């Protein structure tokens, strides 16, 4: 997915529910780095935009039937909106202040800063998440020193998630 595809999807969401501001988490949050000449393909392979409405997060779930997986929008455009709760990802303290706004009228996508997204991906630990983090490190969109700092500033779900995240981080270098 690219920036234009994401913004068209969010504009369709705005037409349906009236909300103009969306928080984009997950892989496609890297699209907030639109000024970067070449975002690695491994960081933008996803066809689903994990997001929620900024002002009324549960409202995004009302969009599932029209924009979600298997919806007419998905069939027509090959991409879909994946409604999520703002409580879903494991994120470091201060993440909301580091959101990167990507404005394309009539909507604004507030994207996770790549290091914050990487912490969430390290906590989740799926192979595709770890590929995303490695691609971000290679492209210098993600920084190991920043990840180490942010890991210390993160409240994890439990000790097991924290230990697994720290082990995955240590394995990166």
């Amino acid at each position: 997915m690219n920036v234009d595809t994401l913004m068209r999807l969010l504009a369709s969401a705005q037409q349906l529910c009236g909300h103009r501001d969306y928080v984009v988490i997950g892989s496609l949050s890297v699209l907030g780095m639109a000024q970067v000449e070449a975002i690695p393909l491994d960081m933008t392979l996803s066809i689903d935009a994990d997001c929620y409405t900024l002002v009324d997060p549960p409202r995004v779930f009302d969009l599932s039937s029209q924009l979600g997986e298997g919806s007419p929008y998905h069939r027509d455009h090959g991409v879909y909106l994946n409604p999520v709760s703002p409580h879903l990802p494991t994120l470091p303290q201060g993440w909301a202040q580091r959101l990167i706004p990507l404005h394309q009228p009539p909507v604004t996508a507030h994207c996770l800063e790549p290091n914050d997204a990487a912490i969430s991906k390290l906590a989740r630990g799926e192979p595709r998440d770890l590929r995303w983090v490695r691609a971000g490190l290679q492209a210098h969109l993600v920084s190991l020193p920043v990840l180490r700092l942010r890991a210390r500033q993160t409240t994890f779900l439990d000790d097991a998630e924290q230990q697994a995240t720290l082990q995955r981080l240590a394995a990166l270098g």
Side-chain angles (χ1 to χ4, degrees), residues 27-68:
S27 297
L28 296 178
S29 63
V30 74
L31 294 175
M33 304 297 293
Q35 74 279 9
V36 174
E37 283 187 27
I39 297 172
L41 182 62
D42 278 345
M43 297 182 86
T44 59
L45 287 174
S46 183
I47 62 165
D48 63 308
D50 300 326
C51 65
Y52 59 90
T53 48
L54 181 65
V55 176
D56 182 13
R59 180 76 164 105
V60 75
F61 291 96
D62 295 342
L63 301 171
S64 289
S65 64
Q66 293 170 304
L67 300 177

Side-chain angles (χ1 to χ4, degrees), residues 2 5 23 26 29 33 35 38 43 48 62 66 69 79 82 91 97 100 117 124 134 138 141 155 168:
N2 62 32
T5 305
V23 177
S29 63
M33 304 297 293
Q35 74 279 9
M43 297 182 86
D48 63 308
D62 295 342
Q66 293 170 304
E69 187 172 16
V79 298
N82 185 30
L91 293 167
Q97 290 75 36
I100 301 166
R124 200 164 100 164
R134 284 192 296 274
Q138 269 189 320
L141 295 175
T155 302
R168 291 178 194 117

Side-chain angles (χ1 to χ4, degrees), residues 18-139:
H19 286 273
R20 295 181 183 277
D21 291 279
Y22 297 84
V23 177
V24 180
I25 64 172
S27 297
L28 296 178
S29 63
V30 74
L31 294 175
M33 304 297 293
Q35 74 279 9
V36 174
E37 283 187 27
I39 297 172
L41 182 62
D42 278 345
M43 297 182 86
T44 59
L45 287 174
S46 183
I47 62 165
D48 63 308
D50 300 326
C51 65
Y52 59 90
T53 48
L54 181 65
V55 176
D56 182 13
R59 180 76 164 105
V60 75
F61 291 96
D62 295 342
L63 301 171
S64 289
S65 64
Q66 293 170 304
L67 300 177
E69 187 172 16
S71 69
Y73 192 95
H74 182 198
R75 287 190 302 275
D76 293 345
H77 301 280
V79 298
Y80 64 93
L81 182 123
N82 185 30
V84 295
S85 165
H87 306 293
L88 173 69
T90 297
L91 293 167
Q93 294 172 8
W95 67 270
Q97 290 75 36
R98 291 187 291 271
L99 287 170
I100 301 166
L102 183 57
H103 186 67
Q104 214 175 76
V107 295
T108 301
H110 302 270
C111 301
L112 285 180
E113 189 274 334
N115 290 289
D116 290 335
I119 289 293
S120 178
K121 290 189 163 300
L122 289 169
R124 200 164 100 164
E126 291 185 12
R128 63 184 171 158
D129 293 316
L130 300 178
R131 267 193 314 276
W132 188 96
V133 173
R134 284 192 296 274
L137 287 165
Q138 269 189 320

